[in-house]
Amino acid sequence: MKKIFLALLPFIVLSCVHRLPTPEGIKDISTSEYEDYVETKTQKQEVYDGLYNKLTVQATRLDADMSENLVAYQAKLSQWNLEKYKEEKGKIIAKHSDSTEFFISFYTPERKHDDLAFNKTSWKVYLDVGGQRYEGKVTKLKGLFLDIEALYPFHNRWSSAYSVLFPVSTPATDGKPVTLTLTGPLATTQLNF
């Protein structure tokens, strides 16, 4: 038995997952820290008709802190150098200078109702902040499931991934309570952040 264990020991040691250290100048965030942070910025709402699930919505608010952690975590996963990290962080800052973004994981049992981003959809997404209401522009994310799930661990194979941009700057909404409203042919639901 001891000989078998010693023969398998190199394979066991080599099979351990190892990531290279985060380059200098990039925030070092562990997987568990990142997942905990995503959880604090995420709300979930399920709508039922009796025992029948009509829809499940999970949304993550991409405020300044969440965006910074997201880019740092992407840098860690993809082993970006400092230049690539600064470039991607700059893109996020530029995008959020005139918009507020949410990630939405959307599930409905009938695929024909999963059309948040279609031109002729009946679904609307609104953001209420400071007494103002903004209508969102929804885009379906086409990335690989594994990449999306790495950034948003609650997302699953049965849900569709969407990005929603609202025409109000992220600094104007940071630190303020906001309500995300999703309304359509099946139901209306609100998530409070």
Side-chain angles (χ1 to χ4, degrees):
M1 185 69 170
K2 185 176 180 182
K3 289 180 182 180
I4 294 172
F5 177 74
L6 290 175
L8 292 175
L9 186 61
F11 297 107
I12 293 170
V13 171
L14 292 174
S15 69
C16 294
V17 176
H18 176 70
R19 290 216 182 266
L20 296 172
T22 304
E24 185 81 25
I26 299 175
K27 180 180 179 179
D28 189 16
I29 184 167
S30 72
T31 300
S32 62
E33 288 173 327
Y34 178 75
E35 289 176 353
D36 289 346
Y37 198 77
V38 170
E39 191 175 319
T40 65
K41 298 293 183 174
T42 301
Q43 296 293 321
K44 178 180 181 179
Q45 195 69 254
E46 294 179 298
V47 178
Y48 284 89
D49 183 10
L51 297 176
Y52 179 74
N53 177 283
K54 292 173 103 177
L55 64 92
T56 300
V57 179
Q58 293 185 85
T60 301
R61 182 179 183 175
L62 298 175
D63 59 12
D65 291 339
M66 180 61 210
S67 296
E68 184 176 328
N69 284 314
L70 177 78
V71 174
Y73 192 64
Q74 283 179 305
K76 178 180 181 166
L77 293 178
S78 301
Q79 285 297 295
W80 292 345
N81 60 25
L82 186 57
E83 184 178 306
K84 172 74 173 169
Y85 168 74
K86 286 180 178 178
E87 178 186 327
E88 293 299 319
K89 188 174 178 180
K91 287 179 187 176
I92 292 285
I93 291 169
K95 180 174 29 171
H96 291 178
S97 68
D98 62 354
S99 64
T100 296
E101 185 176 12
F102 283 79
F103 169 82
I104 293 180
S105 180
F106 181 81
Y107 168 77
T108 182
E110 294 190 41
R111 282 310 234 190
K112 66 183 178 185
H113 298 301
D114 184 1
D115 62 352
L116 295 180
F118 290 2
N119 286 336
K120 296 185 179 186
T121 186
S122 299
W123 292 102
K124 297 288 184 193
V125 183
Y126 300 108
L127 180 69
D128 295 302
V129 59
Q132 293 284 102
R133 173 169 270 197
Y134 303 93
E135 186 173 345
K137 180 175 176 9
V138 182
T139 306
K140 189 167 189 172
L141 299 178
K142 306 246 188 242
L144 295 173
F145 169 74
L146 188 60
D147 293 340
I148 295 169
E149 185 192 35
L151 299 177
Y152 305 99
F154 57 85
H155 184 65
N156 61 51
R157 293 192 181 281
W158 297 277
S159 299
S160 296
Y162 294 96
S163 170
V164 185
L165 290 174
F166 298 95
V168 57
S169 72
T170 299
T173 63
D174 270 358
K176 295 180 182 173
V178 300
T179 301
L180 185 71
T181 302
L182 185 110
T183 185
L186 291 177
T188 298
T189 186
Q190 291 187 319
L191 299 116
N192 296 305
F193 294 86

